[in-house]
Amino acid sequence: MPLSYVDNQLFLLQDNNKYNLCELIKNKSEPFYLYDLEGMKNRVELFKNYFKRNIRVHYAMKANNHPRILKLMKEQGLGVDVVSGGELQEALNTGFHPRDIIFSGVGKTAAELQLAIEEQISQINVESPQELERIGQIAKSLSKEIRIAWRMNPDVKAETHPYITTGFRDNKFGMDKSFLPSLIKILSDFPQLKLVGLSIHIGSQIRQIEPFIDAIHRTKIEFENLLSEGFPLETLDIGGGLGINYEKEDLPGDENKIKIYAETIEQELADFHGQLLLEPGRVLVGSFGWLFGEVQYIKKTPWKNFAILNTGMHHLMRPSLYQAHHRIQAVRKSEGPLTVYEIVGPICESADVIGFDRPFSELKQGDWLVVEDVGAYGKVMASNYNSHQLPEEIFL
């Protein structure tokens, strides 16, 4: 979904359509998010079509849980991966069948687990022996069986920000094989627990394929060992985490990365005959969302030039939390030499920086800027810190 200038006005291109973003901001005074459902739909179809084997894709709701996006995923035949009781209820409210819902997450409460068991969802990915015991106790009290998978920690350190690695031994997520004896003991205590598979998730915004394969290989060994011991495992949930290119506009490159990812997984699991589950989020929606903000002030000091917007870390946390890079463009480009600006927000925190050292032709008060690639982990991480209102979300 390239952004392109025509006569210094920024246009958003969608197949055969062109949207003039200068027209979009007319009569706008508050920041807002813009989403492209058609782009998301095309990405979902491409993702599914690159796999030749039978896969079940569960969209990771934590990436973006807007009802219209959830409805799109349902229409495309996807299930959902949820990480809280709130997300589980949202999925049910959207119309997802309980059998299309997987519940992940390290800190599930008793109330959340009770809802999952009562609704008879497809699978609970269990993170610890205490969680497994809690599930067993609740299932027994409800006289209901529940399908579970054990989330393994394969001790694979993916090359991504340390805050979003989830499959290394230092992370709070999953269990290594030393947990298996205690898990098997708990399983024997509660016949209501039906072990159906193993699960992994090694992190987010991962651009290398090798860590995925390493994690799959290690987990497949444990899967086969449990099969040989008589456990009737059905599913291997390999999670999500495939990233996008935030550094430059490169949708074809991202799509080629998906192709390589799919082909490599197909090859690695050629002899696997169970049900393969995937839980992508960012790679399906991240490139198809934008955050618009208006310049309130230009502040020039002897050391820096600041462009102060009416949007910031409260609407896009990733730059402050992960030191993440997002491309930023002016909706209306001016002519002239470039000036380097620090693009900042209104929040009373020095961390409230959307972009460091960004060159623009001279910016002025009242100019609008657009921050790219906020379709994932944008609005879902937003807050009303400093009592700011949350931005409107609109769709092409």
PDB file of all heavy atoms in Angstrom, residues 213-249:
ATOM      1  N   ILE A 213      12.545 -22.225  12.641  1.00  0.00           N
ATOM      2  CA  ILE A 213      12.839 -23.615  12.307  1.00  0.00           C
ATOM      3  C   ILE A 213      13.517 -24.319  13.473  1.00  0.00           C
ATOM      4  O   ILE A 213      13.211 -25.483  13.785  1.00  0.00           O
ATOM      5  CB  ILE A 213      13.712 -23.678  11.041  1.00  0.00           C
ATOM      6  CG1 ILE A 213      12.995 -22.995   9.866  1.00  0.00           C
ATOM      7  CG2 ILE A 213      14.045 -25.118  10.684  1.00  0.00           C
ATOM      8  CD1 ILE A 213      11.571 -23.454   9.640  1.00  0.00           C
ATOM      9  N   ASP A 214      14.428 -23.628  14.139  1.00  0.00           N
ATOM     10  CA  ASP A 214      15.108 -24.205  15.299  1.00  0.00           C
ATOM     11  C   ASP A 214      14.092 -24.570  16.380  1.00  0.00           C
ATOM     12  O   ASP A 214      14.120 -25.673  16.952  1.00  0.00           O
ATOM     13  CB  ASP A 214      16.138 -23.200  15.824  1.00  0.00           C
ATOM     14  CG  ASP A 214      17.076 -23.796  16.861  1.00  0.00           C
ATOM     15  OD1 ASP A 214      17.059 -25.033  17.034  1.00  0.00           O
ATOM     16  OD2 ASP A 214      17.842 -23.036  17.480  1.00  0.00           O
ATOM     17  N   ALA A 215      13.156 -23.650  16.640  1.00  0.00           N
ATOM     18  CA  ALA A 215      12.147 -23.893  17.671  1.00  0.00           C
ATOM     19  C   ALA A 215      11.209 -25.036  17.278  1.00  0.00           C
ATOM     20  O   ALA A 215      10.850 -25.879  18.113  1.00  0.00           O
ATOM     21  CB  ALA A 215      11.342 -22.615  17.921  1.00  0.00           C
ATOM     22  N   ILE A 216      10.803 -25.071  16.018  1.00  0.00           N
ATOM     23  CA  ILE A 216       9.920 -26.142  15.542  1.00  0.00           C
ATOM     24  C   ILE A 216      10.619 -27.491  15.667  1.00  0.00           C
ATOM     25  O   ILE A 216      10.028 -28.477  16.122  1.00  0.00           O
ATOM     26  CB  ILE A 216       9.498 -25.874  14.088  1.00  0.00           C
ATOM     27  CG1 ILE A 216       8.532 -24.679  14.032  1.00  0.00           C
ATOM     28  CG2 ILE A 216       8.832 -27.108  13.473  1.00  0.00           C
ATOM     29  CD1 ILE A 216       8.270 -24.177  12.626  1.00  0.00           C
ATOM     30  N   HIS A 217      11.883 -27.542  15.266  1.00  0.00           N
ATOM     31  CA  HIS A 217      12.627 -28.803  15.321  1.00  0.00           C
ATOM     32  C   HIS A 217      12.710 -29.330  16.754  1.00  0.00           C
ATOM     33  O   HIS A 217      12.458 -30.516  17.009  1.00  0.00           O
ATOM     34  CB  HIS A 217      14.032 -28.594  14.756  1.00  0.00           C
ATOM     35  CG  HIS A 217      14.909 -29.798  14.853  1.00  0.00           C
ATOM     36  ND1 HIS A 217      14.716 -30.926  14.080  1.00  0.00           N
ATOM     37  CD2 HIS A 217      15.977 -30.063  15.642  1.00  0.00           C
ATOM     38  CE1 HIS A 217      15.625 -31.839  14.389  1.00  0.00           C
ATOM     39  NE2 HIS A 217      16.406 -31.332  15.327  1.00  0.00           N
ATOM     40  N   ARG A 218      13.028 -28.445  17.711  1.00  0.00           N
ATOM     41  CA  ARG A 218      13.161 -28.877  19.105  1.00  0.00           C
ATOM     42  C   ARG A 218      11.824 -29.340  19.674  1.00  0.00           C
ATOM     43  O   ARG A 218      11.763 -30.323  20.431  1.00  0.00           O
ATOM     44  CB  ARG A 218      13.722 -27.738  19.951  1.00  0.00           C
ATOM     45  CG  ARG A 218      15.122 -27.304  19.540  1.00  0.00           C
ATOM     46  CD  ARG A 218      15.663 -26.241  20.476  1.00  0.00           C
ATOM     47  NE  ARG A 218      16.941 -25.703  20.002  1.00  0.00           N
ATOM     48  CZ  ARG A 218      17.806 -25.046  20.760  1.00  0.00           C
ATOM     49  NH1 ARG A 218      17.525 -24.847  22.046  1.00  0.00           N
ATOM     50  NH2 ARG A 218      18.928 -24.573  20.265  1.00  0.00           N
ATOM     51  N   THR A 219      10.749 -28.638  19.313  1.00  0.00           N
ATOM     52  CA  THR A 219       9.437 -28.984  19.855  1.00  0.00           C
ATOM     53  C   THR A 219       8.893 -30.250  19.213  1.00  0.00           C
ATOM     54  O   THR A 219       8.208 -31.052  19.871  1.00  0.00           O
ATOM     55  CB  THR A 219       8.460 -27.809  19.652  1.00  0.00           C
ATOM     56  OG1 THR A 219       9.042 -26.622  20.201  1.00  0.00           O
ATOM     57  CG2 THR A 219       7.134 -28.069  20.342  1.00  0.00           C
ATOM     58  N   LYS A 220       9.195 -30.446  17.937  1.00  0.00           N
ATOM     59  CA  LYS A 220       8.720 -31.647  17.244  1.00  0.00           C
ATOM     60  C   LYS A 220       9.299 -32.907  17.880  1.00  0.00           C
ATOM     61  O   LYS A 220       8.631 -33.944  17.946  1.00  0.00           O
ATOM     62  CB  LYS A 220       9.080 -31.573  15.756  1.00  0.00           C
ATOM     63  CG  LYS A 220       8.395 -32.641  14.914  1.00  0.00           C
ATOM     64  CD  LYS A 220       8.588 -32.406  13.429  1.00  0.00           C
ATOM     65  CE  LYS A 220      10.030 -32.646  13.022  1.00  0.00           C
ATOM     66  NZ  LYS A 220      10.182 -32.734  11.537  1.00  0.00           N
ATOM     67  N   ILE A 221      10.526 -32.824  18.370  1.00  0.00           N
ATOM     68  CA  ILE A 221      11.132 -33.971  19.059  1.00  0.00           C
ATOM     69  C   ILE A 221      10.311 -34.347  20.287  1.00  0.00           C
ATOM     70  O   ILE A 221      10.008 -35.530  20.525  1.00  0.00           O
ATOM     71  CB  ILE A 221      12.591 -33.650  19.443  1.00  0.00           C
ATOM     72  CG1 ILE A 221      13.462 -33.533  18.188  1.00  0.00           C
ATOM     73  CG2 ILE A 221      13.143 -34.717  20.389  1.00  0.00           C
ATOM     74  CD1 ILE A 221      14.879 -33.044  18.471  1.00  0.00           C
ATOM     75  N   GLU A 222       9.921 -33.328  21.081  1.00  0.00           N
ATOM     76  CA  GLU A 222       9.104 -33.595  22.273  1.00  0.00           C
ATOM     77  C   GLU A 222       7.724 -34.115  21.875  1.00  0.00           C
ATOM     78  O   GLU A 222       7.153 -34.979  22.560  1.00  0.00           O
ATOM     79  CB  GLU A 222       8.975 -32.337  23.127  1.00  0.00           C
ATOM     80  CG  GLU A 222      10.290 -31.763  23.626  1.00  0.00           C
ATOM     81  CD  GLU A 222      11.144 -32.788  24.354  1.00  0.00           C
ATOM     82  OE1 GLU A 222      10.563 -33.684  25.028  1.00  0.00           O
ATOM     83  OE2 GLU A 222      12.386 -32.723  24.251  1.00  0.00           O
ATOM     84  N   PHE A 223       7.180 -33.590  20.793  1.00  0.00           N
ATOM     85  CA  PHE A 223       5.878 -34.047  20.283  1.00  0.00           C
ATOM     86  C   PHE A 223       5.945 -35.534  19.961  1.00  0.00           C
ATOM     87  O   PHE A 223       5.071 -36.324  20.375  1.00  0.00           O
ATOM     88  CB  PHE A 223       5.527 -33.234  19.031  1.00  0.00           C
ATOM     89  CG  PHE A 223       4.125 -33.421  18.517  1.00  0.00           C
ATOM     90  CD1 PHE A 223       3.129 -32.511  18.816  1.00  0.00           C
ATOM     91  CD2 PHE A 223       3.793 -34.517  17.724  1.00  0.00           C
ATOM     92  CE1 PHE A 223       1.834 -32.671  18.340  1.00  0.00           C
ATOM     93  CE2 PHE A 223       2.503 -34.690  17.237  1.00  0.00           C
ATOM     94  CZ  PHE A 223       1.523 -33.762  17.557  1.00  0.00           C
ATOM     95  N   GLU A 224       6.984 -35.940  19.250  1.00  0.00           N
ATOM     96  CA  GLU A 224       7.133 -37.344  18.855  1.00  0.00           C
ATOM     97  C   GLU A 224       7.387 -38.236  20.063  1.00  0.00           C
ATOM     98  O   GLU A 224       6.907 -39.376  20.121  1.00  0.00           O
ATOM     99  CB  GLU A 224       8.250 -37.463  17.828  1.00  0.00           C
ATOM    100  CG  GLU A 224       7.891 -36.824  16.488  1.00  0.00           C
ATOM    101  CD  GLU A 224       9.083 -36.657  15.567  1.00  0.00           C
ATOM    102  OE1 GLU A 224      10.230 -36.835  16.033  1.00  0.00           O
ATOM    103  OE2 GLU A 224       8.866 -36.322  14.376  1.00  0.00           O
ATOM    104  N   ASN A 225       8.130 -37.733  21.049  1.00  0.00           N
ATOM    105  CA  ASN A 225       8.364 -38.511  22.262  1.00  0.00           C
ATOM    106  C   ASN A 225       7.056 -38.786  23.007  1.00  0.00           C
ATOM    107  O   ASN A 225       6.818 -39.904  23.486  1.00  0.00           O
ATOM    108  CB  ASN A 225       9.343 -37.777  23.185  1.00  0.00           C
ATOM    109  CG  ASN A 225      10.768 -37.794  22.670  1.00  0.00           C
ATOM    110  OD1 ASN A 225      11.120 -38.620  21.820  1.00  0.00           O
ATOM    111  ND2 ASN A 225      11.589 -36.883  23.165  1.00  0.00           N
ATOM    112  N   LEU A 226       6.211 -37.767  23.111  1.00  0.00           N
ATOM    113  CA  LEU A 226       4.938 -37.938  23.799  1.00  0.00           C
ATOM    114  C   LEU A 226       4.019 -38.880  23.027  1.00  0.00           C
ATOM    115  O   LEU A 226       3.290 -39.692  23.625  1.00  0.00           O
ATOM    116  CB  LEU A 226       4.268 -36.581  24.011  1.00  0.00           C
ATOM    117  CG  LEU A 226       4.909 -35.686  25.081  1.00  0.00           C
ATOM    118  CD1 LEU A 226       4.383 -34.263  24.998  1.00  0.00           C
ATOM    119  CD2 LEU A 226       4.661 -36.255  26.481  1.00  0.00           C
ATOM    120  N   LEU A 227       4.048 -38.791  21.705  1.00  0.00           N
ATOM    121  CA  LEU A 227       3.271 -39.727  20.888  1.00  0.00           C
ATOM    122  C   LEU A 227       3.703 -41.166  21.166  1.00  0.00           C
ATOM    123  O   LEU A 227       2.868 -42.070  21.319  1.00  0.00           O
ATOM    124  CB  LEU A 227       3.448 -39.412  19.397  1.00  0.00           C
ATOM    125  CG  LEU A 227       2.533 -38.369  18.758  1.00  0.00           C
ATOM    126  CD1 LEU A 227       2.888 -38.204  17.282  1.00  0.00           C
ATOM    127  CD2 LEU A 227       1.062 -38.749  18.899  1.00  0.00           C
ATOM    128  N   SER A 228       5.013 -41.363  21.220  1.00  0.00           N
ATOM    129  CA  SER A 228       5.538 -42.713  21.438  1.00  0.00           C
ATOM    130  C   SER A 228       5.187 -43.246  22.822  1.00  0.00           C
ATOM    131  O   SER A 228       5.152 -44.466  23.036  1.00  0.00           O
ATOM    132  CB  SER A 228       7.058 -42.728  21.246  1.00  0.00           C
ATOM    133  OG  SER A 228       7.707 -41.993  22.271  1.00  0.00           O
ATOM    134  N   GLU A 229       4.909 -42.326  23.760  1.00  0.00           N
ATOM    135  CA  GLU A 229       4.515 -42.738  25.110  1.00  0.00           C
ATOM    136  C   GLU A 229       3.008 -42.947  25.236  1.00  0.00           C
ATOM    137  O   GLU A 229       2.502 -43.222  26.323  1.00  0.00           O
ATOM    138  CB  GLU A 229       4.988 -41.697  26.121  1.00  0.00           C
ATOM    139  CG  GLU A 229       6.511 -41.615  26.246  1.00  0.00           C
ATOM    140  CD  GLU A 229       6.961 -40.484  27.138  1.00  0.00           C
ATOM    141  OE1 GLU A 229       6.121 -39.949  27.903  1.00  0.00           O
ATOM    142  OE2 GLU A 229       8.150 -40.109  27.082  1.00  0.00           O
ATOM    143  N   GLY A 230       2.291 -42.791  24.130  1.00  0.00           N
ATOM    144  CA  GLY A 230       0.872 -43.096  24.125  1.00  0.00           C
ATOM    145  C   GLY A 230      -0.064 -41.916  24.244  1.00  0.00           C
ATOM    146  O   GLY A 230      -1.288 -42.095  24.317  1.00  0.00           O
ATOM    147  N   PHE A 231       0.464 -40.690  24.263  1.00  0.00           N
ATOM    148  CA  PHE A 231      -0.410 -39.515  24.323  1.00  0.00           C
ATOM    149  C   PHE A 231      -0.940 -39.208  22.922  1.00  0.00           C
ATOM    150  O   PHE A 231      -0.153 -39.025  21.980  1.00  0.00           O
ATOM    151  CB  PHE A 231       0.349 -38.304  24.872  1.00  0.00           C
ATOM    152  CG  PHE A 231       0.725 -38.440  26.315  1.00  0.00           C
ATOM    153  CD1 PHE A 231       1.973 -38.938  26.685  1.00  0.00           C
ATOM    154  CD2 PHE A 231      -0.174 -38.103  27.312  1.00  0.00           C
ATOM    155  CE1 PHE A 231       2.317 -39.083  28.016  1.00  0.00           C
ATOM    156  CE2 PHE A 231       0.162 -38.235  28.653  1.00  0.00           C
ATOM    157  CZ  PHE A 231       1.411 -38.729  29.008  1.00  0.00           C
ATOM    158  N   PRO A 232      -2.259 -39.136  22.749  1.00  0.00           N
ATOM    159  CA  PRO A 232      -2.845 -38.966  21.411  1.00  0.00           C
ATOM    160  C   PRO A 232      -2.825 -37.504  20.947  1.00  0.00           C
ATOM    161  O   PRO A 232      -3.868 -36.856  20.792  1.00  0.00           O
ATOM    162  CB  PRO A 232      -4.272 -39.474  21.594  1.00  0.00           C
ATOM    163  CG  PRO A 232      -4.597 -39.152  23.022  1.00  0.00           C
ATOM    164  CD  PRO A 232      -3.300 -39.309  23.791  1.00  0.00           C
ATOM    165  N   LEU A 233      -1.633 -36.975  20.720  1.00  0.00           N
ATOM    166  CA  LEU A 233      -1.518 -35.570  20.324  1.00  0.00           C
ATOM    167  C   LEU A 233      -2.040 -35.380  18.902  1.00  0.00           C
ATOM    168  O   LEU A 233      -1.826 -36.219  18.032  1.00  0.00           O
ATOM    169  CB  LEU A 233      -0.065 -35.108  20.411  1.00  0.00           C
ATOM    170  CG  LEU A 233       0.633 -35.243  21.773  1.00  0.00           C
ATOM    171  CD1 LEU A 233       1.987 -34.546  21.738  1.00  0.00           C
ATOM    172  CD2 LEU A 233      -0.230 -34.682  22.882  1.00  0.00           C
ATOM    173  N   GLU A 234      -2.686 -34.217  18.682  1.00  0.00           N
ATOM    174  CA  GLU A 234      -3.265 -33.907  17.382  1.00  0.00           C
ATOM    175  C   GLU A 234      -2.670 -32.645  16.761  1.00  0.00           C
ATOM    176  O   GLU A 234      -2.528 -32.564  15.541  1.00  0.00           O
ATOM    177  CB  GLU A 234      -4.785 -33.687  17.520  1.00  0.00           C
ATOM    178  CG  GLU A 234      -5.551 -34.822  18.170  1.00  0.00           C
ATOM    179  CD  GLU A 234      -6.963 -34.398  18.516  1.00  0.00           C
ATOM    180  OE1 GLU A 234      -7.408 -33.320  18.048  1.00  0.00           O
ATOM    181  OE2 GLU A 234      -7.636 -35.144  19.270  1.00  0.00           O
ATOM    182  N   THR A 235      -2.355 -31.651  17.591  1.00  0.00           N
ATOM    183  CA  THR A 235      -2.030 -30.328  17.062  1.00  0.00           C
ATOM    184  C   THR A 235      -0.624 -29.891  17.449  1.00  0.00           C
ATOM    185  O   THR A 235      -0.148 -30.153  18.553  1.00  0.00           O
ATOM    186  CB  THR A 235      -3.020 -29.264  17.582  1.00  0.00           C
ATOM    187  OG1 THR A 235      -2.859 -29.100  18.996  1.00  0.00           O
ATOM    188  CG2 THR A 235      -4.455 -29.661  17.272  1.00  0.00           C
ATOM    189  N   LEU A 236       0.017 -29.216  16.521  1.00  0.00           N
ATOM    190  CA  LEU A 236       1.275 -28.520  16.786  1.00  0.00           C
ATOM    191  C   LEU A 236       1.044 -27.052  16.467  1.00  0.00           C
ATOM    192  O   LEU A 236       0.832 -26.682  15.303  1.00  0.00           O
ATOM    193  CB  LEU A 236       2.409 -29.087  15.938  1.00  0.00           C
ATOM    194  CG  LEU A 236       3.779 -28.408  16.131  1.00  0.00           C
ATOM    195  CD1 LEU A 236       4.242 -28.534  17.576  1.00  0.00           C
ATOM    196  CD2 LEU A 236       4.820 -28.997  15.184  1.00  0.00           C
ATOM    197  N   ASP A 237       1.043 -26.233  17.502  1.00  0.00           N
ATOM    198  CA  ASP A 237       0.780 -24.795  17.370  1.00  0.00           C
ATOM    199  C   ASP A 237       2.135 -24.089  17.351  1.00  0.00           C
ATOM    200  O   ASP A 237       2.826 -24.031  18.365  1.00  0.00           O
ATOM    201  CB  ASP A 237      -0.065 -24.342  18.559  1.00  0.00           C
ATOM    202  CG  ASP A 237      -0.452 -22.874  18.505  1.00  0.00           C
ATOM    203  OD1 ASP A 237       0.155 -22.126  17.707  1.00  0.00           O
ATOM    204  OD2 ASP A 237      -1.348 -22.474  19.264  1.00  0.00           O
ATOM    205  N   ILE A 238       2.519 -23.549  16.184  1.00  0.00           N
ATOM    206  CA  ILE A 238       3.846 -22.940  16.063  1.00  0.00           C
ATOM    207  C   ILE A 238       3.811 -21.423  16.228  1.00  0.00           C
ATOM    208  O   ILE A 238       4.791 -20.736  15.950  1.00  0.00           O
ATOM    209  CB  ILE A 238       4.520 -23.319  14.732  1.00  0.00           C
ATOM    210  CG1 ILE A 238       3.736 -22.788  13.526  1.00  0.00           C
ATOM    211  CG2 ILE A 238       4.691 -24.832  14.631  1.00  0.00           C
ATOM    212  CD1 ILE A 238       4.468 -22.973  12.209  1.00  0.00           C
ATOM    213  N   GLY A 239       2.674 -20.893  16.702  1.00  0.00           N
ATOM    214  CA  GLY A 239       2.611 -19.481  17.055  1.00  0.00           C
ATOM    215  C   GLY A 239       2.648 -18.553  15.863  1.00  0.00           C
ATOM    216  O   GLY A 239       2.263 -18.900  14.748  1.00  0.00           O
ATOM    217  N   GLY A 240       3.131 -17.352  16.118  1.00  0.00           N
ATOM    218  CA  GLY A 240       3.252 -16.333  15.073  1.00  0.00           C
ATOM    219  C   GLY A 240       4.584 -15.638  15.208  1.00  0.00           C
ATOM    220  O   GLY A 240       5.589 -16.270  15.501  1.00  0.00           O
ATOM    221  N   GLY A 241       4.592 -14.323  15.004  1.00  0.00           N
ATOM    222  CA  GLY A 241       5.802 -13.543  15.241  1.00  0.00           C
ATOM    223  C   GLY A 241       6.541 -13.071  14.004  1.00  0.00           C
ATOM    224  O   GLY A 241       7.512 -12.317  14.118  1.00  0.00           O
ATOM    225  N   LEU A 242       6.117 -13.511  12.808  1.00  0.00           N
ATOM    226  CA  LEU A 242       6.793 -13.046  11.596  1.00  0.00           C
ATOM    227  C   LEU A 242       6.602 -11.539  11.457  1.00  0.00           C
ATOM    228  O   LEU A 242       5.488 -11.032  11.583  1.00  0.00           O
ATOM    229  CB  LEU A 242       6.234 -13.769  10.372  1.00  0.00           C
ATOM    230  CG  LEU A 242       6.938 -13.508   9.049  1.00  0.00           C
ATOM    231  CD1 LEU A 242       8.379 -13.997   9.079  1.00  0.00           C
ATOM    232  CD2 LEU A 242       6.188 -14.176   7.891  1.00  0.00           C
ATOM    233  N   GLY A 243       7.704 -10.822  11.190  1.00  0.00           N
ATOM    234  CA  GLY A 243       7.660  -9.364  11.206  1.00  0.00           C
ATOM    235  C   GLY A 243       7.452  -8.737   9.838  1.00  0.00           C
ATOM    236  O   GLY A 243       7.358  -9.406   8.805  1.00  0.00           O
ATOM    237  N   ILE A 244       7.383  -7.413   9.835  1.00  0.00           N
ATOM    238  CA  ILE A 244       7.260  -6.618   8.615  1.00  0.00           C
ATOM    239  C   ILE A 244       8.433  -5.642   8.565  1.00  0.00           C
ATOM    240  O   ILE A 244       9.151  -5.458   9.541  1.00  0.00           O
ATOM    241  CB  ILE A 244       5.916  -5.847   8.562  1.00  0.00           C
ATOM    242  CG1 ILE A 244       5.811  -4.867   9.747  1.00  0.00           C
ATOM    243  CG2 ILE A 244       4.743  -6.818   8.561  1.00  0.00           C
ATOM    244  CD1 ILE A 244       4.580  -3.970   9.701  1.00  0.00           C
ATOM    245  N   ASN A 245       8.607  -5.004   7.421  1.00  0.00           N
ATOM    246  CA  ASN A 245       9.702  -4.057   7.233  1.00  0.00           C
ATOM    247  C   ASN A 245       9.222  -2.656   7.614  1.00  0.00           C
ATOM    248  O   ASN A 245       8.469  -2.029   6.874  1.00  0.00           O
ATOM    249  CB  ASN A 245      10.183  -4.089   5.785  1.00  0.00           C
ATOM    250  CG  ASN A 245      11.499  -3.355   5.592  1.00  0.00           C
ATOM    251  OD1 ASN A 245      11.891  -2.535   6.425  1.00  0.00           O
ATOM    252  ND2 ASN A 245      12.191  -3.637   4.517  1.00  0.00           N
ATOM    253  N   TYR A 246       9.646  -2.179   8.783  1.00  0.00           N
ATOM    254  CA  TYR A 246       9.279  -0.836   9.217  1.00  0.00           C
ATOM    255  C   TYR A 246      10.206   0.229   8.627  1.00  0.00           C
ATOM    256  O   TYR A 246       9.876   1.415   8.661  1.00  0.00           O
ATOM    257  CB  TYR A 246       9.349  -0.732  10.744  1.00  0.00           C
ATOM    258  CG  TYR A 246       8.203  -1.399  11.469  1.00  0.00           C
ATOM    259  CD1 TYR A 246       8.328  -2.690  11.980  1.00  0.00           C
ATOM    260  CD2 TYR A 246       6.998  -0.733  11.668  1.00  0.00           C
ATOM    261  CE1 TYR A 246       7.290  -3.298  12.664  1.00  0.00           C
ATOM    262  CE2 TYR A 246       5.950  -1.329  12.352  1.00  0.00           C
ATOM    263  CZ  TYR A 246       6.106  -2.618  12.843  1.00  0.00           C
ATOM    264  OH  TYR A 246       5.065  -3.222  13.518  1.00  0.00           O
ATOM    265  N   GLU A 247      11.353  -0.190   8.110  1.00  0.00           N
ATOM    266  CA  GLU A 247      12.355   0.772   7.675  1.00  0.00           C
ATOM    267  C   GLU A 247      12.018   1.422   6.337  1.00  0.00           C
ATOM    268  O   GLU A 247      12.369   2.568   6.086  1.00  0.00           O
ATOM    269  CB  GLU A 247      13.724   0.096   7.573  1.00  0.00           C
ATOM    270  CG  GLU A 247      14.236  -0.469   8.895  1.00  0.00           C
ATOM    271  CD  GLU A 247      14.491   0.618   9.918  1.00  0.00           C
ATOM    272  OE1 GLU A 247      14.890   1.736   9.516  1.00  0.00           O
ATOM    273  OE2 GLU A 247      14.286   0.352  11.124  1.00  0.00           O
ATOM    274  N   LYS A 248      11.347   0.660   5.464  1.00  0.00           N
ATOM    275  CA  LYS A 248      11.003   1.210   4.159  1.00  0.00           C
ATOM    276  C   LYS A 248       9.716   0.583   3.649  1.00  0.00           C
ATOM    277  O   LYS A 248       9.295  -0.475   4.124  1.00  0.00           O
ATOM    278  CB  LYS A 248      12.131   0.989   3.158  1.00  0.00           C
ATOM    279  CG  LYS A 248      12.425  -0.469   2.847  1.00  0.00           C
ATOM    280  CD  LYS A 248      13.543  -0.588   1.816  1.00  0.00           C
ATOM    281  CE  LYS A 248      13.823  -2.041   1.450  1.00  0.00           C
ATOM    282  NZ  LYS A 248      14.869  -2.158   0.421  1.00  0.00           N
ATOM    283  N   GLU A 249       9.101   1.237   2.693  1.00  0.00           N
ATOM    284  CA  GLU A 249       7.882   0.726   2.074  1.00  0.00           C
ATOM    285  C   GLU A 249       8.261  -0.453   1.190  1.00  0.00           C
ATOM    286  O   GLU A 249       8.900  -0.305   0.159  1.00  0.00           O
ATOM    287  CB  GLU A 249       7.244   1.822   1.210  1.00  0.00           C
ATOM    288  CG  GLU A 249       5.877   1.461   0.672  1.00  0.00           C
ATOM    289  CD  GLU A 249       4.775   1.996   1.555  1.00  0.00           C
ATOM    290  OE1 GLU A 249       4.724   3.203   1.778  1.00  0.00           O
ATOM    291  OE2 GLU A 249       3.957   1.191   2.004  1.00  0.00           O
TER     292      GLU A 249
END
